């Protein structure tokens, strides 16, 4: 087609000279120039095009920068060299500013989706241990080249789980549960355990792996004489001479408090106080202490009935996070607890005796504790008190006398000025726990869900934001949750470790959470406006542990595409037209033509 257009234009130019200008011996020079110029103009007007193949550009290389790439047996150096030789390298997941693997998770789907939206080929270098491989759509993978460099098999023993009490009083015993896992042909089967704070050893123990390479142990003993406040323990495997020592130690943050977090006061002691105290100790993660007033003004510690002074009772009640009161104590001490749980007798004993069968109220914070249980078949309450629900109160339980008559609220909850209160107006719930079976589980569900709601009140000691987890793995974010009144607002925070200090700002998302990513160490933080605490970033990461490969190597489809190249994109063609018309003008001037 382009040749035909040029031929027609050239013929028209020549005939224009022969028919209109008069043909002479030297007329062929301007005629050729006009033919060339008219041919160029004709091509540009039609914008003819030629088929062509667009060559592939330099590919975008996504390099998995999760910690597993630099674990023992990992092939980070080899992957980095191959990636740089293949195309333009972009690291996926590392901490801001890092050029080495530092991501605590292996997630490639967002990066592959973003790179695949362009026209450049996409090449991924990874060890194949990807957490979100199922989130990669097949059509996206079809155009992506996956290069897998699997880590080499090693023999390793790792501490995969450590758990223990978060808050303890000086008289409590410390119990730490430890679980270890061997990978590959483990060489060590009997290992030592030590829990230390710096150079000071708190507990020692031993751990033995079974034939499947798993082992569990418990470190238990009294607390050493340490000052109140947060303490970061390092629980370490000893004698495990494996090539990956970074998974041989875990951290645990313990807070030693002068008084327990949950305090129960009973005056006088009853069956209700006994079963409630035992259930609180079973379901609560905080230390629980109970006191009973056996005689007027004489208090004893629940459990061992050891006599205690009124000053100890008052101090425990004043410092408690949740204060539970049963009966009428002689001068209940003041408290700054963020949760109050008042059981029958707090003001007056229930006066309507009989068999009161209970039902779960409408949607409330405690309704989830009764999921799947038939509350109306549990032993009935023995008496109820008159409770009136306010406009903002929620009703957790209702009661009917002998399953007939008026439905009366017997459990109310209220949140006011950051202090949460639950008021019970029924007696005899201890029989749920005494009976066992599903009714006992219902009683435990009632206690645990009520306690969770009471502890959800604003913690004044935490300030405007509180830590969601006191220990996080390396490469994962430290999460703060908004704890202040009103909508979340950006909050400056100062952070310090043994050899580092930094300032940052907590920016909360729509869910009221803010994230910071920090290097391993023990960090102390202080929020502007009040609130401080301690957390630990472990050297340990799940990325150090070998996991099955979920992403296989594959060759992506060639992104070279067929297309057409229009003549208007040829810059030289415009130059040819200018030269042709300029040459015609010069030749005509020499011939004496205009």
């Amino acid at each position: 087609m382009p040749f035909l257009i040029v031929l027609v234009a050239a013929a028209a130019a020549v005939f224009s000279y022969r028919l209109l200008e008069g043909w002479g011996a030297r007329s062929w020079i301007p005629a050729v120039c006009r033919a060339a110029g008219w041919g160029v103009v004709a091509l540009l007007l039609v914008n003819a095009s030629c088929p062509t193949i667009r060559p592939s550009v330099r590919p975008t290389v996504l390099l998995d920068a999760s910690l597993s790439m630099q674990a023992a047996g990992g092939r980070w150096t080899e992957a980095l060299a191959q990636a740089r030789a293949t195309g333009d390298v972009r690291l996926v997941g590392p901490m801001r500013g890092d050029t080495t693997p530092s991501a605590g998770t292996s997630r490639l789907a967002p990066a592959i989706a973003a790179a695949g939206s362009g026209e450049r080929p996409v090449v991924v270098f990874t060890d194949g241990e990807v957490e979100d491989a199922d989130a990669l759509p097949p059509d996206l993978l079809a155009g992506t080249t996956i290069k897998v460099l699997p880590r080499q098999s090693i023999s390793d023993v790792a501490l995969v789980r450590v758990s223990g009490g978060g808050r303890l009083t000086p008289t409590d015993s410390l119990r730490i549960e430890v679980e270890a896992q061997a990978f590959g042909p483990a060489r060590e089967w009997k290992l030592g355990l030590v829990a230390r704070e710096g150079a000071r050893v708190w507990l020692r123990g031993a751990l033995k792996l079974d034939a499947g390479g798993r082992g569990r142990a418990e470190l238990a003993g009294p607390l050493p004489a340490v000052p109140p406040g947060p303490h970061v323990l390092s629980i370490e495997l000893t004698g495990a001479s494996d090539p990956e020592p970074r998974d041989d130690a875990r951290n645990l943050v313990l807070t030693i408090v002068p008084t327990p977090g949950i305090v129960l006061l009973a005056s006088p002691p009853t069956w209700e106080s006994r079963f409630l105290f035992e259930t609180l100790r079973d379901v609560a993660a905080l230390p629980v202490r109970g006191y009973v007033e056996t005689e007027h003004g004489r208090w004893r510690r629940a459990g061992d009935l050891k006599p205690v002074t009124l000053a100890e009772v008052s101090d425990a009640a004043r410092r408690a996070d949740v204060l539970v009161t049963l009966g009428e104590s002689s001068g209940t001490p003041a408290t700054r607890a963020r949760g109050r749980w008042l059981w029958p007798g707090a003001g007056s004993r229930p006066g309507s005796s009989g068999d009161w069968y209970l039902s779960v109220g409408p949607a409330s914070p405690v309704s989830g504790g009764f999921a799947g249980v038939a509350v109306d078949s549990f032993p009935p309450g023995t008496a109820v008190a008159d409770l009136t629900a306010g406009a903002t109160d929620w009703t957790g339980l209702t009661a009917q006398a002998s399953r007939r008559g008026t439905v009366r609220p017997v459990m109310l909850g209220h949140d006011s000025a950051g202090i949460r209160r639950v008021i019970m107006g029924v007696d005899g719930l201890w029989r749920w726990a005494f009976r066992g079976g599903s009714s006992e589980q219902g009683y435990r569900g009632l206690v645990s869900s009520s306690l969770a709601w009471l502890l959800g009140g604003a913690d004044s000691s935490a300030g405007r934001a509180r830590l969601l987890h006191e220990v996080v793995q390396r490469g994962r974010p430290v999460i703060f949750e908004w704890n202040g009144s009103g909508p979340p607002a950006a909050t400056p925070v100062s952070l310090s470790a043994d050899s580092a200090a930094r300032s940052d700002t907590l920016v909360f998302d729509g869910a009221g959470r803010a994230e910071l990513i920090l290097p391993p160490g023990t960090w102390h933080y202080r929020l502007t406006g009040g609130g401080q605490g301690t957390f630990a970033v472990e050297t340990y990461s799940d990325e150090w542990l070998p996991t099955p490969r979920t992403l296989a190597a594959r060759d992506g489809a060639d992104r070279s595409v067929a297309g057409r190249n229009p003549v208007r994109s040829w810059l030289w063609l415009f130059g040819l037209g200018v030269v042709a018309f300029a040459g015609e003008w010069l030749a005509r001037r020499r011939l004496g033509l205009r």
Side-chain angles (χ1 to χ4, degrees):
M1 182 66 179
F3 298 103
L4 180 60
I5 293 173
V6 172
L7 181 61
V8 171
V14 172
F15 278 109
S16 67
Y17 265 93
R18 295 188 67 87
L19 299 178
L20 300 177
E21 302 290 346
W23 188 263
R26 294 186 297 174
S27 297
W28 65 271
I29 297 177
V32 170
C33 291
R34 178 176 291 186
W38 284 18
V40 169
V41 172
L43 285 175
L44 293 176
L45 288 176
V46 177
N47 195 26
S49 59
C50 300
T52 184
I53 298 296
R54 297 176 182 173
S56 298
V57 296
R58 185 170 171 82
T60 298
V61 178
L62 303 179
L63 179 55
D64 182 4
S66 61
L67 291 170
S68 62
M69 293 289 289
Q70 208 174 48
R75 300 163 65 183
W76 168 255
T77 303
E78 182 181 351
L80 180 60
Q82 292 188 22
R84 288 174 173 172
T86 302
D88 298 331
V89 180
R90 298 178 185 175
L91 301 183
V92 180
M95 294 171 59
R96 183 174 57 186
D98 273 3
T99 57
T100 57
S102 59
T105 56
S106 297
R107 294 180 181 147
L108 299 177
I112 294 178
S117 61
E119 296 184 354
R120 302 174 65 180
V122 179
V123 181
V124 177
F125 283 86
T126 178
D127 55 8
E129 301 174 15
V130 179
E131 298 177 19
D132 59 354
D134 294 339
L136 293 168
D139 57 338
L140 186 61
L141 278 178
T144 304
T145 300
I146 308 294
K147 302 289 187 180
V148 177
L149 286 77
R151 72 166 90 183
Q152 301 169 358
S153 178
I154 61 170
S155 176
D156 183 35
V157 180
L159 281 178
V160 294
R161 187 180 66 88
V162 170
S163 62
R167 297 182 67 176
L168 300 171
T169 62
T171 58
D172 290 333
S173 295
L174 174 59
R175 294 181 181 275
I176 302 175
E177 295 182 356
V178 177
E179 182 176 346
Q181 172 71 52
F183 300 89
R187 300 190 301 264
E188 303 289 347
W189 297 99
K190 292 184 179 180
L191 305 170
L193 283 172
V194 60
R196 67 172 73 245
E197 182 185 24
R200 181 173 187 174
V201 175
W202 286 34
L203 297 172
R204 291 185 183 273
L207 182 145
K208 182 178 180 181
L209 302 179
D210 58 22
R214 304 189 70 90
R216 292 182 176 86
E218 181 180 80
L219 298 175
L223 287 173
V226 294
H231 297 267
V232 180
L233 297 186
S234 176
I235 294 84
E236 305 168 2
L237 281 174
T238 59
S241 55
D242 53 45
E244 184 52 86
R246 292 171 291 187
D247 57 14
D248 295 343
R250 303 296 301 269
N251 289 128
L252 187 66
V253 177
L254 301 177
T255 302
I256 309 300
V257 293
T259 56
I262 301 173
V263 175
L264 180 145
L265 304 180
S267 176
T270 61
W271 285 106
E272 196 76 75
S273 63
R274 175 180 176 181
F275 281 95
L276 180 59
F277 177 67
E278 294 297 331
T279 305
L280 284 171
R281 292 203 300 183
D282 289 342
V283 304
L286 298 177
V288 180
R289 186 65 52 82
Y291 300 95
V292 296
E293 190 178 30
T294 55
E295 300 178 41
H296 182 74
R298 296 185 177 181
W299 291 87
R300 295 177 181 272
R301 186 176 298 164
D304 57 10
L305 296 181
K306 178 181 178 181
V308 295
T309 64
L310 180 59
E312 178 181 339
V313 177
S314 300
D315 186 58
R318 180 172 58 86
R319 296 174 179 266
D321 288 310
V322 174
L323 179 62
V324 184
T325 55
L326 297 91
E328 299 180 51
S329 63
S330 57
T332 302
T335 182
R336 59 186 183 192
R338 51 183 161 140
R340 292 289 310 274
W341 199 354
L342 291 78
W343 278 72
S348 63
R349 295 290 298 174
S352 301
S353 301
D355 289 337
W356 293 88
Y357 287 88
L358 304 179
S359 299
V360 181
S364 70
V366 300
S367 58
F370 299 104
V373 296
V375 176
D376 57 354
S377 67
F378 293 173
T382 56
V384 298
D386 291 330
L387 298 181
T388 302
T392 60
D393 294 352
W394 53 262
T395 301
L397 292 174
T398 59
Q400 278 184 300
S402 300
R403 296 193 175 94
R404 297 186 300 273
T406 304
V407 177
R408 303 171 64 169
V410 293
M411 180 182 184
L412 300 178
H414 181 68
D415 189 347
S416 177
I419 299 177
R420 296 187 173 186
R421 290 181 174 85
V422 173
I423 302 175
M424 305 296 296
V426 60
D427 201 0
L429 290 185
W430 62 270
R431 299 196 296 174
W432 290 11
F434 181 78
R435 183 177 180 179
S438 61
S439 63
E440 181 183 12
Q441 296 306 313
Y443 187 80
R444 292 172 64 90
L446 168 68
V447 174
S448 61
S449 57
S450 301
L451 197 59
W453 184 77
L454 290 168
L455 288 169
D459 187 355
S460 58
S461 64
R464 302 174 67 183
R466 65 182 183 89
L467 275 173
L468 203 60
H469 302 289
E470 292 180 319
V471 178
V472 297
Q473 296 182 18
R474 179 176 182 174
R476 296 191 180 183
V478 180
I479 302 176
F480 288 85
E481 192 171 53
W482 179 254
N483 190 55
S485 58
T491 303
V493 57
S494 299
L495 301 135
S496 62
D498 294 337
S499 58
R502 59 179 288 184
S503 297
D504 213 318
T505 301
L506 300 179
V507 180
F508 297 90
D509 58 17
R513 293 186 175 182
E515 298 182 352
L516 293 175
I517 298 183
L518 299 167
T522 298
W523 293 86
H524 306 279
Y525 72 91
R526 184 182 298 274
L527 301 174
T528 299
Q532 57 183 332
T534 300
F535 61 88
V537 180
E538 298 181 297
T539 304
Y540 173 89
S541 172
D542 287 340
E543 291 287 313
W544 303 137
L545 312 181
T547 57
R549 289 192 293 274
T550 57
L551 196 61
R554 59 174 298 141
D555 292 327
D558 187 3
R559 290 206 173 196
S560 297
V561 294
R564 302 191 68 83
N565 191 11
V567 297
R568 289 181 185 175
S569 64
W570 301 348
L571 296 179
W572 62 268
L573 193 61
F574 290 89
L576 178 61
V578 172
V579 171
F581 286 118
E584 181 190 7
W585 176 83
L586 182 61
R588 289 174 63 84
R589 295 290 293 178
R590 289 185 176 274
L591 292 176
L593 301 176
R594 293 184 178 179

